[in-house]
Amino acid sequence: MLKVEGLNVSYGDLQVLWDVSFEVKEGEIVVLLGANGAGKSTTLKTVSSLVKPTVGSVEFLGVRLDRIPSHEVINYGLAHVPEGRRLFPDMTVEENLIVGSLTREAKSKRKKTLEWLYDIFPRLRERIKQPTGTLSGGEQQMVAIARGLMSLPKLIMFDEPSLGLAPIMVTEIFKVVEMVNREGVTVLLVEQNVHHTLAMCDRAYVLENGRITLSGTGEEFLNNDHIKEAYLGI
Amino acid sequence: MEVFLQTLVAGVLKGGLYALIGLGMTLIMGVMGIINLAHGQFMMVAMYITYALFHFFGLDPYTTLIISMPSLFLLGVLIQKYLLNPLMKVESILPENQVLMTVGIAMVLTEIARFIFSSNYLSVRTSYSSSAFYVGGISFSVALTVAFGFTCFLTISLFWFLIKTDLGRSIRAVSQDSEAAELMGIDSGRIKVITMGIGAGLVAAAGTLLLPIYYLFPDIGGPFTRKAFIITILGGLGSTVGAIFGGLTLGLAESFGATYIGMDFEDLVGLVIFLLVLLFIPGGFRRFTKV
């Protein structure tokens, strides 16, 4: 479904990704693991064309995403829930969700999608008219996820959705990610939270210093000595 | 007491027009992140359009709104698309250079106006230019009252547009987080072009509405760019509701300054208020509005 091949990305003179290749198949949950500064967010930004690679290609359902402007990516069914949530703080919960459904198809189904999402996130229904800047971190993350789903994507990318949240919220957010996947949306998840993610994912990749160093199924990862040492602290 | 009320009315009516000038500048500030230093010059161009239509075709100044506003919308669109957006594509160019570009545009517009109309003072005299009606002993200038009515209508329309339509929501989204807006499928380059058009169209309305009670010469843009700048700062850079308060504050300050201190001190009082706000409520009126 999503095929990333040989990505090299630089910010000015500083190269941050070297020959990054990975694949996401339809229906999967794929996790991209890595420490701070490993290049995870840059990888997702390159997939959504916010950052252009110097070498390499991003192909999604046969379309070269690296060749189109970033605002057109969502039209092909790929949503990106960015790191740090990046909500529109002075707009209400509902307005944020509406802005998530500007593509033609999503717009025609806007009312139905909103109802569906309010059923999944009852807490957002209570806060419809509240500016998102005044919500708690966990609620903001829910708005961010819901806003990503408003475009009715085929694949949704989450960039560290558990960042800065209380442990109970983290569990809840990962439940939501699994549920989104059960609804038929393919998931590409970037995380540092190894415990939760490896248990629920189909496959995983490890990104270290801008290079993919390891790939395999979630189970293989949980038994891998390097992973145990570096990420699970066992 | 009567003098006080009279001053208050005059200040509010004038403040309405200032709000209209400030709203356009504020929208541009919010979306582009730059101060448009050609804002008063846009207004000057609209005033000349109104003058020319009145002088050569005998159109009523208020009727010319339907020509001056779309013309300036188009001028704003073209300037953003071909002069300002290209500057953003070059990474080594700081946003400040877009501000310098607007200064250049301001000069070019002023000199074109001087070339066509010369530096002479012009005015549009209509039957209602100096007439007034009285409510309880307080006089209301007909032209200013009509202008205030148009201003209210345009302001309400603008807010309806920003809150209720997808395009309006997209404009707000870009001004709050343009990268996140890109991810939502919003073409921020296109939004910037449209916003500059709307900002220019709004200040065009202010210019056209002001002309029957004012005078016109090519350099009139400068003082109004300064006023727009003050209003935007008072309102808290990028807050639309703040801009309305900023406009009213400046209008009232000038009005009371003229009545109680002296006509010559009108602008001075506005600037003193500006400094006081900067000193004591930095961030302007935005903290009271949250919109």
Side-chain angles (χ1 to χ4, degrees), chain B residues 13-18 20-21 43-44 47 50 61-62 65 123-125 128-129 143-144 146-148 150-151 203-216 220 224 227:
Chain B
L13 292 181
K14 201 160 139 194
L17 274 178
Y18 285 172
L20 201 54
I21 298 170
M43 181 170 160
M44 177 270 298
M47 288 167 99
T50 299
Y62 296 132
L65 273 178
S123 65
V124 162
R125 285 286 147 242
Y128 47 77
S129 280
L144 265 180
V146 172
F148 191 75
F150 272 112
T151 300
V203 80
T208 296
L209 292 169
L210 193 61
L211 193 54
I213 41 170
Y214 220 70
Y215 46 88
L216 173 61
I220 202 171
F224 280 100
K227 282 188 207 290

Side-chain angles (χ1 to χ4, degrees), chain A residues 86-102 110 114 118 124 127-133 135 143-144 146-148 150, chain B residues 159-166 168-174 176 184 186 290-291:
Chain A
R86 305 292 289 269
L87 298 175
F88 306 113
D90 295 337
M91 291 166 91
T92 65
V93 169
E94 181 141 289
E95 283 176 325
N96 266 275
L97 298 187
I98 288 173
V99 172
S101 61
L102 294 177
R110 182 179 285 169
L114 272 175
Y118 287 145
L124 297 189
R127 305 240 190 287
I128 285 181
K129 295 278 174 230
Q130 203 168 321
T132 51
L135 299 177
V143 178
R147 186 180 65 176
M150 281 300 289
Chain B
F159 275 87
W160 179 84
F161 166 74
L162 288 176
I163 292 169
K164 293 288 179 195
T165 67
D166 276 356
R169 291 185 191 109
S170 302
I171 289 175
R172 288 159 66 214
V174 171
Q176 289 174 30
M184 300 301 122
I186 298 168
K290 297 215 171 227
V291 182

Side-chain angles (χ1 to χ4, degrees), chain A residues 126-145:
Chain A
E126 294 162 23
R127 305 240 190 287
I128 285 181
K129 295 278 174 230
Q130 203 168 321
T132 51
T134 64
L135 299 177
S136 75
E139 288 165 343
Q140 287 189 8
Q141 188 60 56
M142 286 180 184
V143 178
I145 293 174

Side-chain angles (χ1 to χ4, degrees), chain A residues 150-188:
Chain A
M150 281 300 289
S151 65
L152 301 170
K154 299 184 184 89
L155 188 151
I156 188 162
M157 306 193 291
F158 297 108
D159 196 344
E160 298 213 36
S162 71
L163 195 70
L165 299 186
I168 306 173
M169 265 335 283
V170 172
T171 314
E172 199 164 327
I173 291 291
F174 285 124
K175 267 187 202 151
V176 167
V177 172
E178 278 193 287
M179 194 216 60
V180 167
N181 184 249
R182 273 199 305 277
E183 295 272 347
V185 185
T186 310
V187 172
L188 174 58

